[in-house]
């Protein structure tokens, strides 16, 4: 019985990974072929609706965004992609999307977060200084006009959580990208446990841990100390 349950979970997880990969590749390809996303160094107003519609029933997709040749950045985040995403962004239950915009020159550069409901009613908006440049990020640097590139797992800038990016360069020099947050895989494993006490871990072939069914607070539990740590 244990072996059967294990094989069943392994097969379903394999199918999930293939589905996620196919969805991300197909979404990136569709967006790269759309002619009206970028106008010079600006993202057109149609981008928000297009990005959100492609993620509407694809909860494994964390975000879709555009990096511009001048370093500016426009992103739509899918808050249904995982509980950890909502916690990291401090979103309210009624929030459905977060739009992140980074623009400006040097000292005037800022990052703006806009929190929207499912019908894009703005609930909250905040801004902060930023030194982020899309042009130096791995998904931008490695993007290609001919093929869709997939990054190794790395920390996403806005939520400081691991994930992977699929990207493709547009004719304008801008780059379209689709993100998969690894926390969504952990959520999946948590919903498909082997037993009440079973622990499940998903590794890359090179040994890096991608996801597990452990609660996030247990997975990163740091021991308490009564004395300050001496730093050199």
């Amino acid at each position: 019985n244990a072996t059967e349950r294990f094989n069943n979970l392994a097969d379903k997880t394999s199918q999930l990974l293939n589905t996620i990969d196919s969805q991300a590749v197909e979404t990136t390809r569709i967006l790269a072929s759309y002619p009206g996303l970028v106008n010079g160094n600006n993202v057109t107003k149609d981008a928000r609706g297009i990005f959100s519609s492609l993620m509407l029933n694809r909860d494994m997709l964390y975000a879709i965004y555009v990096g511009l040749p001048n370093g500016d950045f426009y992103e739509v985040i899918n808050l249904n992609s995982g509980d950890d995403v909502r916690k990291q962004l401090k979103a309210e239950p009624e929030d459905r999307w977060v739009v992140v915009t980074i623009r400006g020159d040097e000292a005037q550069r800022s990052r703006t977060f806009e929190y929207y409901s499912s019908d894009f009613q703005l609930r909250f908006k905040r801004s902060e200084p930023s030194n982020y440049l899309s042009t130096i990020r791995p998904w931008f640097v490695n993007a290609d006009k001919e093929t869709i590139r997939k990054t190794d797992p790395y920390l996403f800038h806005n939520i400081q959580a691991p994930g992977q990016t699929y990207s493709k360069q547009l004719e304008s020099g801008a780059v379209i990208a689709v993100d998969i947050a690894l926390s969504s895989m952990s959520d999946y494993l948590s919903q498909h446990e082997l037993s009440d006490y079973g622990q499940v871990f998903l590794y890359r072939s090179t040994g890096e841990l991608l996801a597990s069914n452990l609660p996030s607070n247990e997975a990163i539990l740091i021991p308490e100390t009564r004395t300050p740590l001496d730093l050199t």
Side-chain angles (χ1 to χ4, degrees), residues 117-132:
S117 63
S118 57
D119 58 350
F120 277 101
Q121 296 298 312
L122 181 64
R123 180 188 67 81
F124 180 70
K125 178 178 180 179
R126 63 181 174 89
S127 296
E128 61 190 24
S130 175
N131 59 3
Y132 181 94

Side-chain angles (χ1 to χ4, degrees), residues 7 33 43 45 90 116 169 181 198 207 210 212:
N7 288 332
S33 65
V43 178
K45 63 180 182 180
K90 297 181 173 61
Y116 290 96
Q169 189 179 44
L210 289 178
S212 79

Side-chain angles (χ1 to χ4, degrees), residues 108-153:
Q108 303 301 316
R109 196 165 184 77
S110 65
R111 176 171 59 169
T112 301
F113 293 83
E114 296 175 321
Y115 292 73
Y116 290 96
S117 63
S118 57
D119 58 350
F120 277 101
Q121 296 298 312
L122 181 64
R123 180 188 67 81
F124 180 70
K125 178 178 180 179
R126 63 181 174 89
S127 296
E128 61 190 24
S130 175
N131 59 3
Y132 181 94
L133 290 172
S134 61
T135 50
I136 64 174
R137 303 297 287 178
W139 53 267
F140 192 103
V141 174
N142 297 324
D144 184 86
K145 287 184 179 179
E146 302 301 323
T147 60
I148 295 171
R149 297 291 181 86
K150 178 182 177 181
T151 67
D152 288 331

Side-chain angles (χ1 to χ4, degrees), residues 7-232:
N7 288 332
N8 185 45
L9 178 58
D11 289 341
K12 287 184 176 179
T13 303
S14 178
Q15 293 171 15
L16 173 71
L17 293 175
N18 288 331
T19 299
I20 292 174
D21 192 73
S22 298
Q23 284 186 357
V25 168
E26 185 61 24
T27 302
T28 307
R29 182 178 291 113
I30 290 171
L31 289 167
S33 65
Y34 189 85
L37 287 179
V38 176
N39 182 14
N41 278 323
N42 294 294
V43 178
T44 64
K45 63 180 182 180
D46 295 335
R48 189 184 72 179
I50 294 169
F51 292 178
S52 60
S53 64
L54 285 171
M55 293 188 289
L56 191 59
N57 296 313
R58 298 178 175 180
D59 289 345
M60 288 296 178
L61 301 185
Y62 155 70
I64 298 175
Y65 50 91
V66 177
L68 299 170
N70 66 348
D72 288 356
F73 178 84
Y74 179 86
E75 176 180 44
V76 178
I77 296 175
N78 175 16
L79 290 174
N80 281 5
S81 60
D83 293 337
D84 285 348
V85 173
R86 285 186 173 275
K87 291 176 184 176
Q88 288 278 3
L89 292 170
K90 297 181 173 61
E92 297 293 335
E94 64 268 26
D95 295 331
R96 180 65 178 82
W97 310 101
V98 174
V99 175
V100 181
T101 308
I102 301 176
R103 61 163 63 109
D105 298 322
E106 298 179 358
Q108 303 301 316
R109 196 165 184 77
S110 65
R111 176 171 59 169
T112 301
F113 293 83
E114 296 175 321
Y115 292 73
Y116 290 96
S117 63
S118 57
D119 58 350
F120 277 101
Q121 296 298 312
L122 181 64
R123 180 188 67 81
F124 180 70
K125 178 178 180 179
R126 63 181 174 89
S127 296
E128 61 190 24
S130 175
N131 59 3
Y132 181 94
L133 290 172
S134 61
T135 50
I136 64 174
R137 303 297 287 178
W139 53 267
F140 192 103
V141 174
N142 297 324
D144 184 86
K145 287 184 179 179
E146 302 301 323
T147 60
I148 295 171
R149 297 291 181 86
K150 178 182 177 181
T151 67
D152 288 331
Y154 70 101
L155 284 181
F156 290 158
H157 183 72
N158 289 321
I159 61 173
Q160 289 299 296
Q164 291 180 279
T165 299
Y166 298 72
S167 63
K168 194 172 190 295
Q169 189 179 44
L170 307 180
E171 290 298 328
S172 63
V175 172
I176 187 74
V178 174
D179 276 352
I180 304 294
L182 297 186
S183 61
S184 62
M185 297 184 192
S186 295
D187 291 342
Y188 172 83
L189 293 178
S190 297
Q191 297 165 9
H192 298 80
E193 296 180 349
L194 292 173
S195 66
D196 292 340
Y197 305 100
Q199 297 180 347
V200 184
F201 300 89
L202 178 64
Y203 290 91
R204 297 182 71 197
S205 59
T206 48
E208 295 95 334
L209 178 65
L210 289 178
S212 79
N213 69 334
L214 293 179
S216 57
N217 61 332
E218 183 178 342
I220 60 171
L221 185 62
I222 300 174
E224 294 184 7
T225 178
R226 295 182 180 275
T227 58
L229 180 64
D230 291 331
L231 301 176
T232 63

